[in-house]
Amino acid sequence: MNKLKPIVSVLIINYNNDKFIQDCIESIENQTYKNIEIIFHDDSSSDNSIEVISKYKKIKIIKNKIRTIHGAFNQMNAYQRAFKKSKGEIIFLLDSDDFFSKKK
């Protein structure tokens, strides 16, 4: 009997990084481990971030409409919102302009 592999949640926080989103998402999709959920939190981006991420159908998207002038505060709030939506037993945090190596 095979044990079920635990769900891994990758929480991605984004603000105006539309140029990097595809590489970020592909680095997750190309992992050797496959039981992964992706939660993408956009913090009121003014670029094409929402259009880019909307192309990926299996990703949970959180759109924040209220942004403060305090970047670190916005980022912590974003991770908190994304964490509440996650179902994973293991949680990874990833900024949208970063990526994972293949065997993360």
Side-chain angles (χ1 to χ4, degrees):
M1 184 165 109
N2 290 336
K3 283 188 167 183
L4 293 177
K5 293 182 178 182
I7 296 172
V8 171
S9 297
V10 180
L11 313 182
I12 301 171
I13 304 308
N14 178 69
Y15 178 68
N16 286 341
N17 280 322
D18 63 349
K19 295 175 185 158
F20 305 104
I21 293 171
Q22 182 175 343
D23 289 338
C24 176
I25 298 300
E26 287 177 4
S27 79
I28 299 166
E29 290 180 338
N30 291 329
Q31 291 297 303
T32 55
Y33 189 86
K34 297 297 182 186
N35 197 13
I36 300 173
E37 74 168 349
I38 301 172
I39 302 173
F40 185 91
H41 185 286
D42 184 74
D43 208 8
S44 301
S45 293
S46 58
D47 64 1
N48 293 318
S49 293
I50 292 298
E51 290 81 12
V52 173
I53 197 62
S54 294
K55 295 175 185 176
Y56 298 91
K57 301 302 178 201
K58 295 182 180 181
I59 296 176
K60 296 177 187 175
I61 301 172
I62 301 169
K63 298 177 192 175
N64 182 37
K65 302 291 183 190
I66 301 170
R67 183 172 168 79
T68 73
I69 60 169
H70 307 288
F73 183 72
N74 294 328
Q75 188 176 31
M76 293 311 300
N77 281 335
Y79 278 125
Q80 182 180 29
R81 286 185 204 104
F83 181 79
K84 287 180 181 179
K85 297 272 184 190
S86 68
K87 293 183 173 29
E89 294 178 48
I90 302 167
I91 307 288
F92 285 98
L93 308 179
L94 184 63
D95 289 333
S96 58
D97 60 347
D98 289 331
F99 60 90
F100 286 152
S101 61
K102 189 162 186 160
K103 294 183 180 182
K104 177 71 172 164

